[in-house]
Amino acid sequence: MKKILAIETSCDETALALVECQDSTVTILDHVLYSQIDDHGQYGGVVPGLAARIHGKKLPQMIIDFLDHNQPHLDYIAVTSGPGLEPALHVGVNQARVLATALNIPLLPVNHMHGHMFSSFLSDTHVPRKDEYPFLAMTLSGGHTEFVLVQGYNQYRILGQTIDDAVGEAFDKVGTMLGLGYPGGPAISRLAVNGDPEAITFPRPMIGSSDGRMSFSGLKTAVKYYIQDHPPETEQKKADIAASFEQAVIDVIIKKLTWILDRYFIVSIRGGGGVWANPALRKVTDQFAQKRSIPLHLPSQEVATDNAQMIGYIAALDLYYGVNRELRVEGKKAL
Ligand code: KG4
Ligand code: ZN
């Protein structure tokens, strides 16, 4: 029985998890999270330097309280080493280094994207079974838009990704344009419920390209110009813009998913990332998966957004599969 303390500070969540693993069983024993959303709200997005300062202020005391409460005998420290905001990543990695050195235990670096890709497994307490591969991991978050074929553990192939903005970033920017505050995603989806998704035909950039590439920057700009030309004077008009934008995003995602499923064999689709909180996206993808008779596994709301449970889980899988990784803090690199 081994215990791992996992630390996540890649963006605007300061998070810890305590994970226990024995053979193929992985159990999340406890977790805590401090969300910085309110700290960044006034700036309309996450400010990297501010995120790092808040991680630096919060993390040491959070660790002390967490260890005090759980009194674990730790065998490993796991930490997100990238991708993410570099100043924020360094806070977690430095803290993890200090702890691992003081306790004289190994430090396990974890790729944040791997965490999102496997986050839907966190509802179980086992490592993925052989028959659960190959799956398609669809990570849709504020920082990433990636469709990855997971052929086996640590056998990853990117089949689709954005060439510019991440899908959540587009939601956040359109949210700002509509005066909805940060983050825009949840507010847009609430507003869109009362809107007509066919009211405005926004462009669906790259929808027809015969590959998995996506683009959301042009769509965002099209919404910006539309709002400049037709300032929404009523809540209904705003709702129509929100619903039409949301529909354009969903159409692109489903089209790219179709393109992938027509070419690659997978046993299931697995979601990850905060954008999966979007009810319209969940509904359309669910209907699509049912039509294609492919199981769809979406993470719970709690582990869809950034968290430390998924980081501890990947560290446990690395131990189980005997994967060793070198610690290198990398801000931008995706997989
Ligand atoms: O996974 P996450 O917490 O952060 C990153 O790892 O980037 O995802 C946050 C993103 C934000 O862009 C937020 O606007 C978006 O997820 N989001 C949504 C919804 N809820 C959160 N986007 C669309 N509809 C939602 N209901
Ligand atoms: Zn993330």
Side-chain angles (χ1 to χ4, degrees):
M1 194 116 69
K2 301 285 185 199
K3 284 200 174 77
I4 307 168
L5 172 70
I7 302 175
E8 154 67 38
T9 66
S10 69
C11 191
D12 59 347
E13 324 281 355
T14 318
L16 300 173
L18 183 61
V19 176
E20 184 179 79
C21 46
Q22 184 171 29
D23 304 323
S24 61
T25 304
V26 184
T27 314
I28 309 296
L29 297 178
D30 196 9
H31 57 92
V32 285
L33 179 142
Y34 172 77
S35 170
Q36 303 180 4
I37 281 187
D38 292 342
D39 302 297
H40 296 277
Q42 57 179 306
Y43 304 105
V46 181
V47 182
L50 177 62
R53 276 204 301 285
I54 298 172
H55 287 310
K57 210 164 92 185
K58 293 278 174 193
L59 187 60
Q61 192 61 48
M62 276 174 71
I63 293 176
I64 290 169
D65 294 346
F66 192 67
L67 296 182
D68 241 22
H69 178 71
N70 286 288
Q71 298 282 325
H73 172 86
L74 293 177
D75 298 284
Y76 299 93
I77 307 291
V79 66
T80 306
S81 56
L85 306 172
E86 228 172 282
L89 288 166
H90 279 294
V91 177
V93 169
N94 289 341
Q95 186 71 67
R97 272 203 183 104
V98 170
L99 264 176
T101 308
L103 297 173
N104 194 24
I105 56 177
L107 182 57
L108 308 172
V110 173
N111 182 303
H112 183 83
M113 298 309 292
H114 296 179
H116 278 307
M117 282 158 51
F118 283 81
S119 58
S120 62
F121 284 101
L122 282 166
S123 51
D124 288 321
T125 55
H126 66 83
V127 304
R129 293 185 312 268
K130 274 209 174 89
D131 63 0
E132 287 175 305
Y133 297 109
F135 65 86
L136 179 71
M138 295 175 72
T139 303
L140 303 173
S141 75
H144 300 277
T145 304
E146 257 180 28
F147 295 175
V148 180
L149 178 66
V150 182
Q151 288 158 311
Y153 192 64
N154 221 22
Q155 289 175 267
Y156 308 138
R157 182 166 165 202
I158 298 177
L159 299 181
Q161 62 188 329
T162 180
I163 60 162
D164 41 52
D165 290 359
V167 61
E169 193 181 344
F171 267 97
D172 292 336
K173 286 183 177 155
V174 170
T176 304
M177 293 172 203
L178 289 172
L180 301 174
Y182 175 82
I188 288 185
S189 64
R190 276 195 300 275
L191 194 58
V193 171
N194 302 315
D196 174 6
E198 290 173 9
I200 308 143
T201 309
F202 287 126
R204 280 122 170 100
M206 300 195 76
I207 196 167
S209 69
S210 52
D211 54 28
R213 287 181 304 158
M214 289 163 271
S215 160
F216 296 102
S217 169
L219 167 60
K220 174 195 71 186
T221 309
V223 176
K224 183 175 153 198
Y225 288 137
Y226 182 87
I227 293 173
Q228 270 175 16
D229 293 345
H230 313 82
E233 278 141 15
T234 61
E235 274 306 295
Q236 186 57 51
K237 289 257 157 57
K238 263 193 187 180
D240 286 346
I241 295 172
S244 300
F245 161 75
E246 189 178 78
Q247 189 59 50
V249 170
I250 293 172
D251 283 355
V252 171
I253 289 169
I254 295 296
K255 185 74 193 294
K256 295 298 169 175
L257 179 57
T258 309
W259 186 87
I260 289 170
L261 293 190
D262 286 346
R263 283 160 187 81
Y264 297 91
F265 169 73
I266 54 160
V267 298
S268 71
I269 301 166
R270 290 184 174 269
V275 178
W276 283 106
N278 186 288
L281 172 69
R282 289 177 86 102
K283 187 171 158 211
V284 174
T285 313
D286 191 46
Q287 286 166 347
F288 174 83
Q290 282 190 31
K291 216 164 73 197
R292 302 280 297 227
S293 303
I294 293 187
L296 171 68
H297 303 281
L298 296 178
S300 68
Q301 177 83 35
E302 188 179 59
V303 295
T305 50
D306 287 350
N307 66 88
Q309 294 97 299
M310 67 184 190
I311 303 305
Y313 184 70
I314 295 298
L317 294 190
D318 277 353
L319 290 172
Y320 178 78
Y321 290 105
V323 176
N324 287 307
R325 300 184 196 276
E326 204 186 314
L327 175 59
R328 234 177 313 139
V329 176
E330 283 182 294
K332 290 236 159 49
K333 203 162 152 259
L335 260 182

